[in-house]
Amino acid sequence: VGLRARFVLLAIGLVLTVGAIVGTTAYVALRRSLHAQAAAQAAGQATRLAALVDVPGQSEQGQNHVDLADRSLSRDFPVAGLLVEIDGRDDRPLQASRRGLRLPLPAAARGRCATQGRSGGRLERPRVAFACRRLGGPRLRLGSVVVGVPLRSADRALGTLRRALVLGLAAGTLAAAMVALALAHHVLRPARQIAAAARSIREGDLSRRIGYTGARDELGTLAGELDACFAALQEALRRQRDFVADASHELKTPVAAMRAHVELLRGWAATDAASRGRALEALDHAARRAGRLVADLLVLADLDRPATAPRAPVALDQVVVDVIRECGPLRADVTVRVTRLDEAMVLGDELRLQQLLINLLDNALRAGPPGGEVRLALTRSGGEAIVTVDDDGPGIPPELLPHVFDRFVSADRRVRRHGAGSGLGLAIALAIARSHGGRLEAANGASGGAALRFTVPVAGPSSNLHHRLTDASSPAPSVDAQSTTTQRGGRT
Ligand SMILES: Nc1ncnc2c1ncn2[C@@H]1O[C@H](COP(=O)(O)OP(=O)(O)OP(=O)(O)O)[C@@H](O)[C@H]1O
Ligand SMILES: [Mg+2]
């Protein structure tokens, strides 16, 4: 059953239930009240009549001055519509308000009237509420007075109420069903819009949105959330497509270079030793570049997966020292200076952390002017370890800053063609930082050079663990925590 039908059924059920309870209660209360009123009237009249006839004290002696057959006793009652019957000692009627009237009281009511002096109840034919009063004392009974109050008008009123209730309930049910239908139609509007938008998106129109502008109720909020979700999905898909396009574009260049040089080697370069050497070198270079790019892409794909890498305690200060050893030789004319080296243990993957710092240091070393300096610091503060890498280069262009961590972002396309980098370094670094629960921020320092800052939570008190690990490792590096200079031969 659809939601709309359920709405309607619910509304009908509610109206019927509430209407039936209220109607029945009102009907029963009114009937009771009308019957009680008639009974009270009958009792009142019977008592008054009995008092007229029965002179206290006399009946006990078997004498009564009032003649029970006196017609004036019942003569006035028909005017008010009441039925009156005065019976003698043997319960036979002596007179009645209407000729031939006989109120057929049940034997029990007769008996109670005789023994207890009074009784009352309801008769079906004629339909009346009756009251019976004994005339005379309990020992010497002269007879009885019976008064009947007709219930016809009460029954008529009750019948009218019954019909009104049934009619009202039917009308109320119909109205409730219609209102529920309209309400459901209105309330479910966002649901219909959501379904329509989802269908278009499934059929390929990724830019389609629900665009719901109505009330911000539960469904309205859902529509808004879904729109945001669709937008995020479209953006993610676009980035994925761009990424694949960029990656294949990046690979196309070295592959084209390789094919060109292979052609060259097949042709005239095969005979000329110098040309052959150059072509082979270029081939090697292109192959390395393609290899590095593929490796980077694999790293990124791996980092995109939810963390599965084993987590082990890593001495971050040791990683910093190792990285300087590896990257220092990249530029012979740039000095790497460690301005501070606190001890810090972090939980994570040592190779990945190395890769992160290598990418930062590699960028800084490339950017630095000849004779410049790259400053590295590892500071432990609170529960965090902070590694900063500052250089004396031109800094990151301001327009590039917001996108510097995106994939394939590079300030200068020419740099890429010369094989410097494909713009994946910082994207990888950021992914590694995040997979360690850390942050990576890029800014430009006061001196104008780039300032990168990697923050990562440390794993508890470090010193013990740290010493255990460094003791086990190969000879401790001779790095002065205050100022260390590594200057080695350059790398091509
Ligand atoms: N220290 C820095 N000084 C100036 N610009 C920088 C610095 N670090 C990064 N950038 C800019 O950010 C861009 C992106 O850096 P990223 O490391 O992601 O890529 P890349 O170095 O060009 O290539 P890859 O690292 O993949 O070899 C760089 O091309 C450069 O323009
Ligand atoms: Mg780089």
Side-chain angles (χ1 to χ4, degrees):
V1 191
L3 264 183
R4 248 185 291 181
R6 267 188 257 179
F7 255 96
V8 170
L9 285 180
L10 184 73
I12 290 178
L14 268 177
V15 167
L16 278 182
T17 310
V18 172
I21 290 174
V22 170
T24 310
T25 311
Y27 181 81
V28 168
L30 183 68
R31 197 175 63 168
R32 240 190 225 172
S33 148
L34 288 175
H35 285 175
Q37 217 175 314
Q41 197 184 357
Q45 292 295 349
T47 305
R48 266 178 45 210
L49 203 53
L52 273 181
V53 176
D54 191 9
V55 181
Q58 286 184 344
S59 56
E60 292 302 313
Q61 279 95 53
Q63 37 183 245
N64 195 7
H65 293 302
V66 179
D67 179 10
L68 292 185
D70 183 352
R71 287 288 304 158
S72 71
L73 283 175
S74 62
R75 194 182 50 209
D76 295 337
F77 282 97
V79 182
L82 303 186
L83 308 177
V84 171
E85 180 187 324
I86 295 178
D87 300 333
R89 224 168 285 218
D90 53 359
D91 283 336
R92 292 215 176 181
L94 295 174
Q95 59 164 305
S97 55
R98 233 193 278 145
R99 190 176 297 279
L101 174 75
R102 176 85 176 129
L103 289 171
L105 259 59
R110 280 269 178 218
R112 236 178 311 127
C113 190
T115 54
Q116 291 166 23
R118 52 173 59 211
S119 68
R122 268 200 309 274
L123 294 179
E124 280 310 317
R125 200 168 292 249
R127 182 134 167 87
V128 291
F130 71 84
C132 176
R133 292 292 179 271
R134 183 183 62 202
L135 299 173
R139 263 176 289 156
L140 193 69
R141 197 161 67 85
L142 300 175
S144 50
V145 174
V146 183
V147 175
V149 174
L151 292 172
R152 265 193 319 273
S153 66
D155 284 347
R156 259 201 307 279
L158 287 171
T160 308
L161 178 65
R162 238 181 356 246
R163 277 191 300 280
L165 282 178
V166 169
L167 229 78
L169 212 55
T173 306
L174 197 69
M178 268 151 60
V179 168
L181 203 64
L183 209 68
H185 186 81
H186 177 74
V187 165
L188 292 176
R189 197 159 56 96
R192 284 194 300 279
Q193 291 183 3
I194 289 170
R199 201 172 312 117
S200 309
I201 288 174
R202 193 191 47 178
E203 282 161 6
D205 180 9
L206 288 177
S207 61
R208 174 70 190 270
R209 293 291 173 269
I210 301 161
Y212 182 69
T213 50
R216 280 274 141 201
D217 51 14
E218 285 84 347
L219 279 179
T221 312
L222 174 67
E225 283 298 323
L226 280 175
D227 263 353
C229 178
F230 292 152
L233 277 178
Q234 190 190 10
E235 172 62 17
L237 219 64
R238 186 192 62 76
R239 277 213 307 271
Q240 196 80 34
R241 275 191 198 136
D242 285 358
F243 179 61
V244 171
D246 282 342
S248 24
H249 186 80
E250 283 300 315
L251 276 170
K252 233 159 64 186
T253 317
V255 169
M258 281 190 264
R259 290 183 58 180
H261 289 296
V262 166
E263 283 306 312
L264 223 58
L265 283 174
R266 279 219 187 98
W268 58 270
T271 49
D272 179 33
S275 313
R276 201 173 56 213
R278 273 202 303 279
L280 279 174
E281 196 182 318
L283 201 56
D284 180 49
H285 185 81
R288 273 176 202 277
R289 182 161 155 63
R292 194 183 141 202
L293 190 69
V294 169
D296 279 354
L297 290 175
L298 283 177
V299 168
L300 270 177
D302 194 37
L303 284 167
D304 275 347
R305 276 206 298 273
T308 48
R311 312 232 123 198
V314 179
L316 197 57
D317 39 335
Q318 183 67 53
V319 174
V320 169
V321 171
D322 291 347
V323 165
I324 293 170
R325 244 199 226 142
E326 187 170 333
C327 291
L330 202 63
R331 284 278 298 267
D333 52 348
V334 176
T335 309
V336 178
R337 190 155 70 86
V338 177
T339 55
R340 182 170 171 165
L341 193 66
D342 291 354
E343 287 179 357
M345 294 301 299
V346 302
L347 218 54
D349 184 335
E350 182 166 8
L351 279 179
R352 290 273 186 257
L353 288 168
Q354 263 177 17
Q355 200 169 7
L356 188 166
L357 294 181
I358 286 173
N359 282 344
L360 299 189
L361 198 56
D362 176 73
N363 285 349
L365 284 171
R366 275 178 212 282
E373 176 180 78
V374 172
R375 288 166 298 283
L376 238 156
L378 167 56
T379 315
R380 209 189 136 172
S381 122
E384 292 182 323
I386 302 157
V387 181
T388 52
V389 181
D390 300 80
D391 63 57
D392 293 336
I396 300 165
E399 70 278 5
L400 196 70
L401 256 181
H403 313 292
V404 82
F405 292 112
D406 289 354
R407 293 164 183 192
F408 296 111
V409 162
S410 169
D412 195 325
R413 289 256 149 191
R414 276 174 312 155
V415 175
R416 277 164 66 179
R417 231 178 287 133
H418 287 303
S422 47
L424 289 175
L426 285 181
I428 290 173
L430 178 69
I432 294 173
R434 288 201 176 139
S435 77
H436 283 79
R439 303 189 298 278
L440 185 60
E441 292 139 319
N444 287 321
S447 61
L452 277 109
R453 184 185 167 91
F454 166 50
T455 312
V456 64
V458 294
S462 74
S463 46
N464 247 347
L465 204 52
H466 176 74
H467 286 306
R468 244 198 0 252
L469 281 177
T470 43
D471 286 352
S473 67
S474 49
S478 54
V479 174
D480 181 334
Q482 277 316 302
S483 167
T484 300
T485 304
T486 42
Q487 268 186 301
R488 312 256 170 94
R491 187 176 88 175
T492 41

